Amino acid sequence: ANGIGNAACLTEIDISDNAIQLEGAAAIAQALFAVSKHRRLRAVVAQRNPFGDGGLPEIVNAAVRSPSLEVLDVRSCGGFMGGAAPIGIALASPPPALRRLALSHNNFGLQAHQLTQRLGAHANLRALDLEACGITPPAAAALGQCFGGMRALAELNLSRNPFGNAGLESLLQPIRHLRALQSLALVDTGIADGPEVPALGSVLDQAHTLESVNLSDNTVGDAAMAQFVANICRNGRCSLQTLGLRCAGVGPQTATSLSAALATPNRLSWLDLSLNPLGDEGCAALCGGLRSASALVAVDLSGCGLSDVSAVRLRRALDSSLRLAQVKLVANDFGKMALAAMEASPTFARSLQL
């Protein structure tokens, strides 16, 4: 801390994984106050230190005093409910240069809204990581109300927060304000079958800068997910490059929607459908799109209940595909016909991960 405080030319600080607790956090915060006067500090990274509710707000408050700060990363620093309000107050007046803010894996729980409701002033923020912060439906709604002031936001990670369909519904209209959005992660957020999922597809269809969406580990169901895919690729237009739907209830209906989307001009290069009840029927529906996909490079069909029949179909699809180079098929029920299909097509054999 003494060294940091006396370093007038310091531009970046990384004190991650140093087991710094409350007393050390207070000393580091004082040093950050001293460094901020020189207007050169651009990045503060302090991942995986047990600052706790007492130390984490001090670190955040000191870091944002530097007008040149571009990156603040305090993931997994022991933040809990008591830290949400003081951190929110500190972030209510952010440095104008701040571009990346990571607060993930600090479980603010029922007080998370005290933090999320104060992020509206982050006009230049490009990346916001709030994974596993205990965000409930009220906190999600409070965050949504801030999106109007976050026009530069390109990367949003809200994965592993328990806001469910109610929280998703409160985010639908506000997401329209994020005109620069490129990446949206909603993994394991308690989203279940319901009209909010197709509605999300309709909203994201208007996000012309969007490149990546991940809805994995949500129990959505086949019908709703099929409509989501149809909506997000409406009018033959889809800017997505990666789509994650692992363990999301994808079945034959969604496979049909995906096949139709892949048959239109698109940029989708990576598709994760692993751990879904796709079955041979779903694989048959998907293969038509795989054959005509213009950009698809990799697809993960691990644990999708596929048999030898699907292996033969996938081999034919791969032989006809323009760019498909990797098919992951771990944990499927393949036998002799699948081995024969591999022997018949060296290209298929090289692309497989069994």
Side-chain angles (χ1 to χ4, degrees):
N2 289 333
I4 291 172
N6 293 322
C9 296
L10 197 63
T11 60
E12 299 180 9
I13 298 172
D14 189 342
I15 53 172
S16 301
D17 300 301
N18 277 299
I20 301 171
Q21 300 183 37
L22 176 59
E23 184 178 355
I28 294 292
Q30 289 181 355
L32 290 175
F33 275 120
V35 171
S36 68
K37 299 175 184 178
H38 303 294
R39 297 175 175 267
R40 294 184 179 181
L41 186 62
R42 295 198 308 267
V44 174
V45 181
Q47 301 174 16
R48 297 176 296 277
N49 284 292
F51 297 140
D53 276 348
L56 182 55
E58 289 195 55
I59 294 291
V60 172
N61 185 46
V64 298
R65 297 300 179 93
S66 177
S68 57
L69 190 71
E70 298 176 8
V71 177
L72 177 57
D73 187 341
V74 287
R75 284 176 272 188
S76 302
C77 286
F80 197 55
M81 288 189 288
I87 292 173
I89 293 171
L91 292 172
S93 300
L98 191 62
R99 299 291 186 270
R100 306 187 70 87
L101 175 61
L103 294 165
S104 59
H105 297 276
N106 291 292
N107 188 7
F108 301 116
L110 296 177
Q111 296 301 312
H113 66 283
Q114 298 280 3
L115 167 61
T116 57
Q117 69 187 3
R118 293 186 169 97
L119 296 177
H122 289 254
N124 297 316
L125 194 67
R126 288 191 53 80
L128 178 60
D129 185 354
L130 295 174
E131 180 174 341
C133 284
I135 296 175
T136 57
L143 177 62
Q145 292 175 6
C146 296
F147 284 168
M150 304 170 73
R151 299 300 179 97
L153 193 65
E155 302 173 25
L156 178 60
N157 184 4
L158 297 177
S159 297
R160 295 179 176 84
N161 284 293
F163 52 75
N165 288 49
L168 178 60
E169 183 178 15
S170 68
L171 290 170
L172 289 176
Q173 293 305 317
I175 285 177
R176 297 180 188 273
H177 295 298
L178 303 179
R179 300 300 177 87
L181 190 64
Q182 296 176 3
S183 174
L184 177 63
L186 299 173
V187 177
D188 189 18
T189 50
I191 300 172
D193 198 359
E196 298 83 7
V197 178
L200 177 64
S202 297
V203 170
L204 296 181
D205 177 56
Q206 303 301 315
H208 303 311
T209 58
L210 193 64
E211 298 177 351
S212 176
V213 173
N214 199 335
L215 288 174
S216 296
D217 301 332
N218 289 293
T219 55
V220 174
D222 197 22
M225 192 58 79
Q227 193 59 54
F228 167 82
V229 171
N231 289 351
I232 202 172
C233 298
R234 190 181 298 162
N235 301 319
R237 175 182 72 235
C238 185
S239 62
L240 286 183
Q241 296 180 23
T242 67
L243 178 59
L245 299 177
R246 179 190 67 243
C247 194
V250 171
Q253 293 181 65
T254 307
T256 301
S257 291
L258 283 167
S259 185
L262 289 169
T264 62
N266 66 84
R267 300 168 60 194
L268 191 66
S269 61
W270 179 85
L271 177 62
D272 185 358
L273 298 176
S274 59
L275 303 180
N276 281 295
L278 201 62
D280 291 330
E281 180 184 355
C283 185
L286 183 64
C287 279
L290 295 181
R291 283 193 292 269
S292 56
S294 58
L296 194 65
V297 174
V299 59
D300 192 343
L301 298 173
S302 300
C304 286
L306 309 183
S307 72
D308 285 359
V309 176
S310 291
V312 173
R313 289 175 176 145
L314 287 168
R315 191 259 308 171
R316 292 172 182 165
L318 186 69
D319 287 345
S320 304
S321 174
L322 297 174
R323 297 188 62 185
L324 188 59
Q326 179 180 326
V327 182
K328 193 172 183 179
L329 294 169
V330 176
N332 282 292
D333 189 20
F334 294 133
K336 293 182 179 180
M337 286 180 63
L339 296 175
M342 284 185 281
E343 290 175 357
S345 173
T347 303
F348 186 46
R350 284 194 301 269
S351 73
L352 285 180
Q353 292 185 25
L354 290 173

